[in-house]
Amino acid sequence: MKGKKKLLIALIVLLAAGIYYYAALPAVNLHSSETWFGVLILLVVLAALYIGRKRPDVTELRHNKVLKGFGVMILGLGVIYLVGTLLSSPIVNAKKYQQLMTVEEGEFTEDIEELPYEKIPILDRDTAVILGDRKMGSMVDMVSQFDVDDIYSQINYQDRPYRVTPLKYASIIKWFTNRSEGIPAYIRINMADQTTELVQLEEGIKYTTSEHFNRNIYRHLRFAHPTYIYGELSFEIDEEGVPYWIAPVKKFNIGLFGGETVGKVVICNAVTGEMTTYEIEDVPQWVDRAYSADLLVQLFDYYGTLKHGFLNSVLSQKDCLKTTDGYNYLALDDDVWMYTGVTSVNQDQSNVGFVLSNQRTMETRYYEVEGATEAAAMSSAEGQVQNLQYKATFPLLLNISDEPTYLLSLKDSAGLVKKYAMVNVQQYQIVAIGDSISQCEDNYLELLLGNGIKEVEQDTREEETLTGKVTKVAQAVLEGSSHYYLMVEGSDAIFDVPVAEFIDVIRVEPGMEITLEYKEGKKTNTVTALELPTAEAGL
């Protein structure tokens, strides 16, 4: 009987441990706090079961060798955990923590080019969520079965900024009726032009956060790699639009629990569940997020505050720098870079610079540019439209005419973008507002000229001459002025002819031979002289 009772107790303990492991999915790893607490809890439970079975009195409790053994193990593990935590902390490893991230000094105008509008992610996450919900609401055949997951990872897709998120089952009943086919689509939102697509797949997504058993993505990853300590998952698509889960694997560089970075990345096909593990330096180019923004911010804070040791970071705080509250993303070189401002620990009313950090490689650049904090820029922008009570989004840092410039969206109470603002980083009283980014930029450039920050550039372009037959004619009105746009045989260029300066352009028709004098431009060539055939000009 005693043997059967012991066996029964052992089976109950194993069953309880199995249920806990299946539900909580702890990593079996010495670097994981969950492992240590799990072992401690198991020892406490076993000791309690032993006491419950033996029912010893007070005298036996003091002299029982088994209970003493449990006590020694519990106390020993607790002491080792606490000592390991201390020895892994910045208190005794300040220099090691400070060197976890390598930071290069960058040159703003050289590293950050002026981006075309189609590469500027003007939408923030909250607006993307609104657009995603609207798109889902319009899909009558799906909205009753699925909801939109709230992941909304920001990525570069085909060299454009996007946010992507999968759908999820609307309820456990909808999961039960649809799980055989999987989730049929994901949402893709262009962060530059607000185009929102529901991308339907030939085969449904089987591995998701809304699965309940073995196809739950967290459980699928854990069972494949029981010892991996995963960071924050992200949902991404490759250049062909195939959906994947990106699971960074934590690496602890200092002691048992300290110096967290990323050592590996597991890439899991969301449709088939197939997994591939890469060392961090071998992660494919299309992956945009191995390092979370929060981890990059923490690593830079270690770099900025621990230059002269831990005590200095707490007491005198000499030369201590820290990141500002909040961050945003830039699309550079087909990668996503986290941007945040940098301020002095002792004086947080202005920024001393800003930092860009690559979310795939951890490459980090610091730019020493003094100016307004992001919060100050947001207040300045809101002050320009205070009668409308619009709220500014966290700014995006851009290069506008070689000037570090904050770009902000101004949203109404419904969360919709109504206007845009540009704020000069170094002189944040210079604020331009526009209904579009192009209009906002034009107003901003006028302010730069008016405040003497920029001078009118001399036009050094040489005039060229072209004679040929007109192949295309188009008209447009720009800022109240009429323009004709011509294409001429033998050239792929578009020629801009302002009607106010060349009234004869209204006589031009396809097939007519004309002579143009012009200066080359980026998008169109500017016409400086127009000559029509004599007979036509005399009409």
Side-chain angles (χ1 to χ4, degrees), residues 138-175:
S138 68
M139 306 303 292
V140 179
D141 57 332
M142 291 188 190
V143 71
S144 64
Q145 303 297 310
F146 304 97
D147 290 331
V148 184
D149 209 326
D150 61 356
I151 296 172
Y152 287 95
S153 304
Q154 180 151 337
I155 64 170
N156 266 13
Y157 171 64
Q158 298 183 350
D159 203 26
R160 295 290 185 272
Y162 280 83
R163 282 192 184 267
V164 289
T165 192
L167 305 184
K168 64 180 181 179
Y169 300 106
S171 67
I172 193 168
I173 300 298
K174 305 301 171 60
W175 163 77

Side-chain angles (χ1 to χ4, degrees), residues 452-468:
I453 297 175
K454 288 291 179 183
E455 296 181 357
V456 178
E457 295 182 4
Q458 293 184 349
D459 191 346
T460 58
R461 297 175 295 171
E462 294 184 0
E463 287 192 347
E464 300 182 42
T465 303
L466 175 67
T467 299

Side-chain angles (χ1 to χ4, degrees), residues 504-505 507-508 512-515 530-537:
D504 279 349
V505 72
R507 306 179 191 277
V508 173
M512 181 182 293
E513 186 171 282
I514 62 174
T515 299
L530 172 66
E531 183 179 336
L532 276 61
T534 304
E536 300 290 347

Side-chain angles (χ1 to χ4, degrees), residues 408-449:
L408 310 92
S409 300
L410 295 165
K411 302 196 296 185
D412 62 13
S413 57
L416 300 177
V417 176
K418 294 298 185 181
K419 291 182 181 292
Y420 300 93
M422 287 185 179
V423 182
N424 189 274
V425 171
Q426 295 172 301
Q427 300 187 40
Y428 67 97
Q429 72 278 10
I430 297 177
V431 183
I433 304 293
D435 293 328
S436 65
I437 294 182
S438 58
Q439 184 187 70
C440 185
E441 183 180 14
D442 290 341
N443 295 338
Y444 180 68
L445 293 175
E446 287 183 12
L447 287 174
L448 293 181
L449 292 172

Side-chain angles (χ1 to χ4, degrees), residues 8-312:
L8 179 61
I9 291 172
L11 289 174
I12 292 173
V13 170
L14 287 174
L15 179 62
I19 293 172
Y20 169 78
Y21 181 78
Y22 192 83
L25 302 173
V28 183
N29 191 307
L30 285 176
H31 295 291
S32 171
S33 296
E34 292 178 334
T35 297
W36 289 79
F37 282 116
V39 172
L40 284 170
I41 291 171
L42 179 61
L43 290 174
V44 170
V45 170
L46 289 174
L49 289 173
Y50 180 81
I51 292 172
R53 186 168 68 88
K54 292 290 186 179
R55 299 183 183 277
D57 56 28
V58 176
T59 302
E60 289 177 313
L61 281 174
R62 292 176 181 175
H63 298 92
N64 189 294
K65 292 182 179 181
V66 175
L67 290 178
K68 282 184 178 180
F70 277 123
V72 169
M73 287 189 288
I74 292 170
L75 182 61
L77 286 175
V79 170
I80 293 172
Y81 178 80
L82 292 175
V83 172
T85 301
L86 176 63
L87 296 180
S88 304
S89 71
I91 298 174
V92 294
N93 295 285
K95 186 176 181 180
K96 291 181 180 179
Y97 271 87
Q98 200 269 338
Q99 294 174 348
L100 285 172
M101 173 180 276
T102 300
V103 180
E104 301 174 354
E105 295 282 339
E107 182 63 38
F108 179 80
T109 54
E110 293 180 5
D111 293 349
I112 303 178
E113 299 177 351
E114 294 192 42
L115 295 175
Y117 297 146
E118 63 269 17
K119 291 188 178 182
I120 300 175
I122 58 175
L123 300 180
D124 64 352
R125 187 183 186 282
D126 291 341
T127 305
V129 171
I130 292 173
L131 293 175
D133 288 344
R134 285 184 174 180
K135 186 66 178 179
M136 191 65 206
S138 68
M139 306 303 292
V140 179
D141 57 332
M142 291 188 190
V143 71
S144 64
Q145 303 297 310
F146 304 97
D147 290 331
V148 184
D149 209 326
D150 61 356
I151 296 172
Y152 287 95
S153 304
Q154 180 151 337
I155 64 170
N156 266 13
Y157 171 64
Q158 298 183 350
D159 203 26
R160 295 290 185 272
Y162 280 83
R163 282 192 184 267
V164 289
T165 192
L167 305 184
K168 64 180 181 179
Y169 300 106
S171 67
I172 193 168
I173 300 298
K174 305 301 171 60
W175 163 77
F176 186 78
T177 56
N178 290 282
R179 69 180 305 274
S180 60
E181 297 297 325
I183 292 174
Y186 62 85
I187 287 178
R188 185 170 66 203
I189 302 172
N190 188 311
M191 301 300 286
D193 63 15
Q194 305 188 40
T195 302
T196 305
E197 307 166 86
L198 189 132
V199 182
Q200 301 203 34
L201 301 165
E202 293 183 5
E203 186 178 350
I205 296 173
K206 304 294 197 306
Y207 296 84
T208 74
T209 58
S210 57
E211 278 284 343
H212 293 282
F213 293 111
N214 285 14
R215 285 192 342 206
N216 178 280
I217 184 59
Y218 298 106
R219 193 164 287 116
H220 183 62
L221 290 167
R222 171 58 64 231
F223 288 171
H225 303 288
T227 62
Y228 284 3
I229 305 173
Y230 290 110
E232 185 180 344
L233 267 65
S234 64
F235 179 83
E236 297 191 22
I237 57 175
D238 65 10
E239 294 303 301
E240 285 72 45
V242 178
Y244 288 88
W245 293 100
I246 310 301
V249 180
K250 296 181 181 181
K251 178 183 179 182
F252 295 88
N253 300 276
I254 303 170
L256 277 175
F257 312 113
E260 177 189 331
T261 56
V262 174
K264 304 175 187 291
V265 173
V266 178
I267 299 177
C268 177
N269 188 303
V271 176
T272 66
E274 181 183 352
M275 284 178 280
T276 306
T277 301
Y278 294 90
E279 297 296 326
I280 186 62
E281 60 270 15
D282 299 325
V283 173
Q285 173 75 35
W286 64 265
V287 173
D288 289 310
R289 188 182 178 278
Y291 293 85
S292 70
D294 289 331
L295 177 58
L296 293 171
V297 165
Q298 184 182 61
L299 290 173
F300 186 85
D301 283 342
Y302 289 144
Y303 171 84
T305 58
L306 298 174
K307 292 179 181 178
H308 302 300
F310 179 78
L311 288 179
N312 177 74

